């Protein structure tokens, strides 16, 4: 392996950042025992801050090893479209009319199933949220699906007194299902988006090679979680179901959402749409709730830091991928996804020339199957954490408990991709 001092330093800083994500609860405990510096410890205890913080350390390191021009040139070479898109889509998808529309839609389907099956409404809503919403991610993109599902689960599950098994079990299934739920099309999942153009993968190709397997894995995961936790689920409040929002307001919000999704690769356009959307919600506040600007900014900061840190990891990732068989690539990419963003991993794999179709399918399959193992494994995960984190003990999501909760649904995804 050939590497420069900057690449070696970047990998060391990246390893420290990954370790930091597993230690956020420790910094939160330091904040309680050291009030004088509580602000600093709280800052370091925020998962969304981690990669942006260490990305800043990397830029300082590049300035010291090289110079300011080298650091600026590297930053200008990075593509920040994905962080900007996730920031925009979170704000629009998390708006009150969009959530109201999604909730009403799920309630309507749940009501039909409830009558047909003769069971309580809460388990049906829980199953639909974990099973149907991730599949919608193939149309509205994974970040939008994550935002919608997290808000729906917040009201259905997380706002009530929950056991730790329900808190983390639901989060693990949500992360895995969202990661594989965007594979029915060629534009919705970040790791697929990174290779679709280079490898000329169409939506028909994605559905043919991943669609049925992903659907089966998602429905199995949602069903198992529902069977495990149905006794702990609380029936939703009837008052929320009867809230009225005019169809014209919902239609305008859906048009904004559609516009951001359609122009997902054109930041100038979707940021303009976002600013227009913020202006619209300010001008007509009657049916609005406060936009999730803070949460979206934190997630965008997290992903931007990952873009900066991940850009210098190719010197060790690419040689590893080049020497692997397709089977080894599947499990290798699955394991590597836990410590690096799966979109960055597939992008590096797309740079390897002369690879077979089996190699390509294994790389993408492993990357999306492992997308729920950690917060950093899949780009939409921080969005879910930002919305649900305050409902976990101490306001922190344990990386270890998340990993343990995500392993069973990940095994289901592995079985679907390798055996079906």
């Amino acid at each position: 392996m050939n590497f420069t001092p900057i690449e070696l330093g970047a990998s060391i800083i990246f390893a420290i950042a990954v370790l930091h994500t597993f230690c956020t609860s420790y910094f939160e405990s330091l904040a309680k025992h050291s009030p004088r510096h509580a602000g600093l410890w709280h800052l370091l205890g925020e998962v969304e801050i981690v990669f942006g913080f260490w990305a800043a350390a990397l830029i300082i390191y590049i300035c010291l090893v090289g110079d300011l021009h080298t650091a600026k040139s590297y930053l200008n070479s990075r593509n920040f479209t994905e962080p900007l898109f996730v920031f925009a889509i979170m704000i629009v998808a998390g708006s009150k009319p969009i959530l109201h529309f999604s909730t009403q839609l799920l309630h309507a389907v749940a009501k039909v199933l409830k009558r047909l099956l003769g069971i309580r409404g809460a388990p049906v809503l829980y199953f639909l949220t974990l099973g149907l919403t991730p599949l919608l991610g193939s149309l509205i993109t994974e970040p939008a699906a994550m935002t919608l599902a997290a808000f729906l689960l917040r009201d259905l599950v997380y706002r009530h007194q929950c056991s730790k098994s329900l808190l983390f079990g639901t989060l693990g299934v949500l992360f895995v299902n969202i990661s594989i739920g965007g594979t029915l099309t060629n534009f919705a999942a970040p790791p697929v988006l990174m290779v679709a153009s280079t490898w000329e993968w169409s939506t028909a190709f994605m559905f043919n090679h991943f669609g049925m397997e992903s659907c089966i894995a998602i429905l199995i995961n949602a069903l198992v979680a529902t069977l495990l936790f149905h006794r702990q689920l609380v029936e939703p409040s009837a008052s929320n179901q009867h809230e009225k929002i005019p169809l014209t307001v919902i239609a305008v919000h859906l048009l904004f959402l559609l516009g951001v999704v359609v122009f997902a690769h054109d930041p100038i356009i979707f940021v303009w749409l976002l600013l227009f959307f913020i202006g619209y919600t300010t001008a007509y506040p009657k049916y609005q709730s406060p936009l999730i600007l803070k949460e979206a900014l934190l997630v965008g900061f997290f992903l931007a830091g990952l873009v900066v840190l991940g850009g210098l990891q190719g010197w060790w990732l690419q040689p590893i991928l080049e020497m692997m068989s397709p089977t080894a690539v599947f499990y290798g990419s699955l394991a590597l996804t836990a410590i690096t963003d799966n979109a960055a991993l597939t992008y590096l794999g797309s740079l390897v020339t002369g690879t077979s179709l089996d190699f390509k399918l294994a790389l993408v399959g492993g990357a999306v199957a492992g997308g729920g193992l950690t917060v950093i494994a899949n780009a939409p995960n921080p969005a879910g954490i930002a919305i649900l984190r305050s409902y976990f003990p101490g306001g922190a999501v344990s990386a270890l408990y998340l990993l343990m909760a995500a392993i069973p649904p990940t095994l289901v995804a592995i079985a679907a991709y390798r055996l079906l």
Side-chain angles (χ1 to χ4, degrees):
M1 294 182 183
N2 296 321
F3 55 86
T4 65
I6 289 179
E7 289 175 327
L8 179 61
S11 294
I12 294 173
I13 293 173
F14 180 72
I16 295 173
V18 172
L19 180 63
H20 186 165
T21 63
F22 286 85
C23 301
T24 52
S25 58
Y26 172 72
F27 288 108
E28 290 293 343
S29 65
L30 284 179
K32 296 178 181 178
H33 296 94
S34 180
R36 184 178 178 183
H37 302 290
L40 174 62
W41 300 132
H42 277 306
L43 178 69
L44 295 177
E46 296 277 358
V47 173
E48 293 87 351
I49 292 295
V50 172
F51 282 89
F53 175 84
W54 288 104
L58 172 61
I59 297 305
I60 294 173
Y61 171 76
I62 294 176
C63 289
L64 294 175
V65 175
D67 52 34
L68 180 60
H69 176 73
T70 303
K72 289 169 62 178
S73 297
Y74 174 67
L75 285 175
N76 288 329
S77 70
R78 299 287 82 213
N79 186 348
F80 294 97
T81 298
E82 185 179 3
L84 285 170
F85 172 73
V86 172
F87 168 70
I89 202 70
M90 276 190 69
I91 293 173
V92 179
S95 61
K96 185 177 180 179
I98 295 291
L99 294 175
H100 174 81
F101 173 76
S102 304
T103 303
Q104 294 303 307
L105 181 63
L106 285 181
H107 275 285
V109 177
K111 188 178 295 185
V112 174
L113 292 177
K114 179 181 176 181
R115 289 177 178 175
L116 290 175
L117 301 176
I119 58 177
R120 293 192 304 126
V124 177
L125 283 172
Y126 183 77
F127 171 79
L128 290 174
T129 304
L130 288 177
L132 183 60
T133 310
L135 292 175
L136 287 176
S138 284
L139 296 176
I140 64 174
T141 75
E142 285 186 357
M146 176 67 80
T147 303
L148 290 174
F151 273 115
L152 293 169
L153 289 170
R154 180 198 65 180
D155 297 334
L156 182 63
V157 176
Y158 287 87
R159 278 183 168 171
H160 308 287
Q161 294 294 327
C162 301
S163 66
K164 186 174 290 186
S165 60
L166 177 57
L167 289 174
F168 284 97
T170 300
L171 191 66
V173 172
L174 173 65
F175 280 9
V176 174
N177 280 5
I178 290 291
S179 181
I180 63 179
T183 58
L184 279 67
T185 60
N186 67 344
F187 61 85
V192 174
L193 187 61
M194 289 295 184
V195 302
S197 177
T198 303
W199 291 343
E200 299 181 346
W201 284 8
S202 65
T203 292
F205 177 92
M206 288 302 304
F207 188 83
N208 185 47
H209 288 85
F210 292 95
M212 189 60 64
E213 294 86 345
S214 296
C215 290
I216 291 173
I218 287 170
L219 294 177
I220 289 175
N221 286 336
L223 179 60
V224 171
T226 303
L227 293 175
L228 285 175
F229 301 124
H230 71 96
R231 296 183 184 277
Q232 300 183 46
L233 300 176
V234 178
E235 290 297 311
S237 172
S239 60
N240 292 334
Q241 299 180 34
H242 297 295
E243 185 179 14
K244 299 295 184 181
I245 296 181
L247 288 176
T248 53
V249 176
I250 294 175
V252 170
H253 279 248
L254 289 174
L255 285 174
F256 274 112
L257 180 66
L258 177 63
V260 173
V261 170
V262 169
F263 295 103
H265 310 306
D266 303 289
I268 294 177
I269 299 179
F270 71 66
V271 169
W272 176 83
L273 286 171
L274 173 64
L275 295 176
F276 192 15
F277 173 78
I278 293 174
Y280 169 78
T281 59
T282 303
Y284 299 94
K286 183 177 180 181
Y287 300 105
Q288 307 293 337
S289 58
L291 299 177
I292 56 170
L293 294 172
K294 175 187 173 183
E295 293 84 352
L297 278 171
L298 284 172
V299 173
F301 184 67
F302 178 97
L303 296 176
L306 192 55
V307 168
V308 173
L309 287 172
L312 292 170
Q313 309 307 318
W315 68 271
W316 62 270
L317 269 176
Q318 186 164 332
I320 291 175
L321 292 175
E322 287 177 339
M323 66 178 65
M324 289 181 172
S325 66
T327 299
V329 164
F330 179 89
Y331 292 105
S333 64
L334 189 147
L336 289 172
T337 289
I339 60 171
T340 187
D341 179 63
N342 56 10
L345 185 60
T346 57
Y347 170 73
L348 289 171
S350 70
L351 300 178
V352 182
T353 59
T355 54
S356 65
L357 178 60
D358 288 340
F359 177 97
K360 297 172 183 177
L361 292 173
L363 176 67
V364 173
V368 297
L373 294 172
T374 61
V375 176
I376 67 173
N378 193 33
N381 291 356
I385 292 291
I387 295 167
L388 300 175
R389 183 184 60 234
S390 61
Y391 301 97
F392 285 80
V397 180
S398 168
L400 179 59
Y401 285 151
L402 172 60
L403 176 65
M404 293 171 60
I407 286 176
T410 299
L411 292 175
V412 173
I414 292 172
Y417 287 150
R418 303 302 293 175
L419 301 178
L420 297 181

